[in-house]
Amino acid sequence: MEALLSAVVFGWENHMRNHTKETTPAAENGRLPANYPRVADATLQVVREKVLAGERLNQADGLSLFKTPDLVGLGQLADYVRKKRHQDKAYYIYNQHLNYTNVCRNRCRFCAFARDEHQDGSFALSLEQIEANLLERIDEPIKELHIVGGLNPDLDFAYFIELLRLVKKIRPAATIKAFTPVEIDYLHRITGYSIQEVIAQLKAAGLAMMPGGGAEVMSDRIQAALFPEKIGAARWLEIMEAVHQAGISSNATVLYGHIETAAEKVDHLLQIRELQDRTGGFSAFIPLAFHSQNTQLADLPATTAFDDLKTIAAARLLLDNFDHIKAYWVMIGESLAQVALSFGADDLDGTIIEEKITHMAGARSAKGLSRPAMRSLIRAAGFRPVERDSFYNPITANC
Ligand code: V47
């Protein structure tokens, strides 16, 4: 806790030193200590040299990041890279989540959201219900609809096409960020269309971007233990590659804080980095902190602030070809998300309005945040709030 507090204090001091020169990367600002970023752990020295030289980190470096006790040093390294890319900007988006069904055949052991078809609490929204849901907030300048759901055998391909067309009709100016490779694979299986054809038809109906879920941790061991029914790493990567080739950008995530090892996390990050080298189609990376309540892993403790900040900082340092690292406030809470802005994150995600997946698993954060609340969180952390669209273009109107 002491180290965490000093990290917070250092982040603040560091920001204050740079606040007046928005476009100057922190470490190139003459008012910073000459040895910034400072690391205390000798194993991080190697990483520090590479970071300063702009060299790519390898698997062994990645392990040093996850194993170091020097959270503050790790945070400074990540902050150095973050400030070079984004200075004191911290992004957020006015978005809305929509979960069209919680019926899911996969029944992943970490999931508290999914239900069997006729189980109490199961739902599948009709198009009329979706329309009513969207119209409730039609006066709000929402910029992105984040739409995901389970693998529900009652929903056919036409439902997905109609859903996209409907959302596009109601919200022509918003970006539809929807479905994961898990749903795309499912649509391929129920239609017999190729993956490319599924993507092309969804795109024609309004799909403009894809969220990053579904990969969890790319490891055969973890897949067998936690999500044996769901597509594995190779298929997730193959589908994301096809999505990028179709001109649709996506995000990527990691679900951490369950049974994974540091080596598996590093390996996951490096597999994503490798695909990004080939396609350039990833926009942001989002570490997702596991919440165990109401899941088959309910005896697992919550992630700690150390785990959360380390994962964000490690992602920033290993994913040198990603522009954006999100501190997803829903999962780590609003306060730690603020701190994460000094540990490599440059984006707090969005207003969300009503988050279900993590709250069903015990998340204690708010279910949504207003734009003024997002902006004050960012300002209070010493950063400059930038409202963005799905593609990180700044929004200047309606702010
Ligand atoms: O893939 C499921 C995770 C993901 C739990 O791309 C859980 O902008 C924690 O991908 N505890 C879906 N996590 C959410 C997701 C996402 C969220 C926000 C932004 C974006 C984006 C993507 O949620 C799933 C899974 O990894 N998840 N259950 C749980 N109990």
Side-chain angles (χ1 to χ4, degrees), residues 74-357:
L74 173 62
Q76 285 193 26
L77 292 175
D79 185 57
Y80 171 84
V81 174
R82 179 245 193 267
K83 291 243 171 65
K84 271 197 155 185
R85 274 191 194 265
H86 301 294
Q87 301 83 46
D88 65 346
K89 286 183 270 188
Y91 295 96
Y92 70 96
I93 186 165
Y94 199 160
N95 66 351
Q96 178 174 8
H97 280 204
L98 179 74
N99 300 117
Y100 55 90
T101 184
N102 63 352
V103 173
C104 188
R105 287 181 158 180
N106 279 340
R107 304 319 307 268
C108 303
R109 295 190 181 129
F110 55 78
C111 183
F113 174 70
R115 294 285 180 275
D116 288 331
E117 221 173 329
H118 301 294
Q119 198 181 337
D120 269 0
S122 64
F123 71 85
L125 299 184
S126 65
L127 295 176
E128 292 70 26
Q129 286 171 314
I130 291 174
E131 179 167 15
N133 180 317
L134 295 180
L135 288 176
E136 263 177 42
R137 297 191 172 258
I138 200 62
D139 294 331
E140 299 178 38
I142 289 166
K143 297 296 182 302
E144 177 184 275
L145 277 312
H146 172 125
I147 305 173
V148 287
L151 305 187
N152 181 340
D154 287 342
L155 304 179
D156 59 11
F157 191 52
Y159 172 89
F160 289 81
I161 297 294
E162 290 310 316
L163 183 158
L164 290 170
R165 287 193 183 137
L166 173 70
V167 176
K168 202 70 215 156
K169 190 179 88 189
I170 298 174
R171 282 258 178 218
T175 299
I176 304 180
K177 182 181 79 176
F179 316 133
T180 68
V182 182
E183 287 143 298
I184 303 289
D185 177 73
Y186 186 66
L187 294 176
H188 148 76
R189 282 191 280 130
I190 63 170
T191 58
Y193 298 151
S194 67
I195 292 292
Q196 284 74 12
E197 182 61 24
V198 169
I199 297 167
Q201 291 208 30
L202 296 174
K203 187 178 176 184
L207 180 71
M209 194 183 171
M210 265 175 59
E216 319 315 350
V217 182
M218 293 198 269
S219 135
D220 292 346
R221 181 187 79 86
I222 296 176
Q223 186 196 6
L226 299 189
F227 52 100
E229 308 296 328
K230 189 153 82 179
I231 61 167
R235 187 65 167 158
W236 190 92
L237 289 166
E238 180 191 341
I239 293 175
M240 270 309 185
E241 184 161 5
V243 166
H244 296 172
Q245 276 164 356
I248 295 178
S249 61
S250 75
N251 292 330
T253 58
V254 63
L255 179 69
Y256 67 94
H258 41 86
I259 61 165
E260 84 286 359
T261 64
E264 286 165 339
K265 269 186 289 213
V266 173
D267 197 45
H268 178 93
L269 289 164
L270 296 188
Q271 289 187 64
I272 285 173
R273 184 173 82 181
E274 196 274 327
L275 179 57
Q276 176 76 328
D277 275 345
R278 284 190 286 117
T279 66
F282 287 118
S283 176
F285 184 79
I286 310 137
L288 302 172
F290 177 55
H291 286 59
S292 68
Q293 210 175 301
N294 305 321
T295 75
Q296 290 178 43
L297 306 170
D299 53 334
L300 289 183
T303 60
T304 63
F306 260 63
D307 302 329
D308 299 330
L309 294 177
K310 259 191 177 180
T311 309
I312 285 170
R316 168 61 74 193
L317 291 165
L318 285 167
L319 297 178
D320 55 4
N321 51 8
F322 269 67
D323 271 343
H324 303 286
I325 305 292
K326 281 191 201 178
Y328 188 36
W329 63 265
V330 169
M331 298 224 172
I332 60 173
E334 295 89 318
S335 306
L336 195 64
Q338 284 182 303
V339 179
L341 293 174
S342 292
F343 277 74
D346 62 281
D347 187 341
L348 291 190
D349 195 79
T351 52
I352 296 174
I353 298 172
E354 197 191 351
E355 201 283 336
K356 289 204 173 86
I357 295 176

Side-chain angles (χ1 to χ4, degrees), residues 346-387:
D346 62 281
D347 187 341
L348 291 190
D349 195 79
T351 52
I352 296 174
I353 298 172
E354 197 191 351
E355 201 283 336
K356 289 204 173 86
I357 295 176
T358 327
H359 283 86
M360 293 187 83
R364 287 195 228 118
S365 52
K367 288 193 172 175
L369 285 176
S370 68
R371 283 188 300 171
M374 298 284 307
R375 288 197 290 269
S376 3
L377 277 180
I378 292 171
R379 281 202 193 99
F383 288 84
R384 179 160 54 95
V386 179
E387 185 173 334

